[in-house]
Amino acid sequence: MIDQPVTEEKAYAYITRKAAQTHQLLVFEHANEDAGVQVPKGTIEDGEIPREAVVREVREESGLTEFDSIRPLSTDVWNHHEKPKAYRRHFFHLVADETRDEWRHRVTGNGEDNGVIYRYFWVRPGSCSLARDMDDYIERISD
């Protein structure tokens, strides 16, 4: 594949919690069954820094607003597999003290997924494959 010019910047959130002596990763299933299992993420808006964007995207996509820590993990350029575009991706590790094991959240904000309902649940990091290479830096999670 030919490398494409970067068209957008995205912020990705690996949100973990400690439960029963093990760490769990927050993931969701999109209403579109073909979208696969994902982590909260989205486009960085004009004037936003990546850290601000990841917190906003998590709030809009999951409803979570409180985190024990937020740590940058990696930045890369990812070529879309189906479209002639590339994204600069900023990955963060956020630690949450969330007691719900599963919930549904209606996405807010101005994005194309506004109003879509996501089903959130926890998995062991690395136990499932995430869509669109979202798990590229999962091994860097540490609490």
Side-chain angles (χ1 to χ4, degrees), residues 66-90:
E66 300 292 324
F67 308 99
D68 295 336
S69 66
I70 302 170
R71 185 173 62 89
L73 291 177
S74 190
T75 297
D76 69 8
V77 173
W78 181 80
N79 289 296
H80 198 290
H81 299 300
E82 296 143 7
K83 301 175 185 176
K85 56 171 50 174
Y87 302 116
R88 180 166 289 112
R89 305 185 305 171
H90 303 271

Side-chain angles (χ1 to χ4, degrees), residues 38-139:
Q38 301 182 34
V39 296
K41 48 80 185 77
T43 302
I44 298 173
E45 296 177 353
D46 289 340
E48 248 182 343
I49 62 172
R51 182 185 172 100
E52 293 169 340
V54 78
V55 170
R56 176 185 51 76
E57 287 292 342
V58 169
R59 182 184 69 245
E60 291 175 358
E61 293 192 358
S62 73
L64 296 179
T65 59
E66 300 292 324
F67 308 99
D68 295 336
S69 66
I70 302 170
R71 185 173 62 89
L73 291 177
S74 190
T75 297
D76 69 8
V77 173
W78 181 80
N79 289 296
H80 198 290
H81 299 300
E82 296 143 7
K83 301 175 185 176
K85 56 171 50 174
Y87 302 116
R88 180 166 289 112
R89 305 185 305 171
H90 303 271
F91 286 83
F92 291 84
H93 178 202
L94 294 79
V95 177
D97 185 21
E98 177 58 50
T99 58
R100 294 175 291 176
D101 290 326
E102 184 175 332
W103 70 93
R104 294 184 187 281
H105 181 78
R106 184 179 305 276
V107 177
T108 62
N110 299 320
E112 62 186 36
D113 55 355
N114 184 31
V116 174
I117 296 174
Y118 291 163
R119 183 180 74 87
Y120 279 90
F121 55 99
W122 301 90
V123 298
R124 191 172 26 83
S127 66
C128 69
S129 180
L130 301 177
R132 296 187 184 138
D133 303 323
M134 290 180 195
D135 48 7
D136 281 351
Y137 301 100
I138 207 82
E139 78 282 352

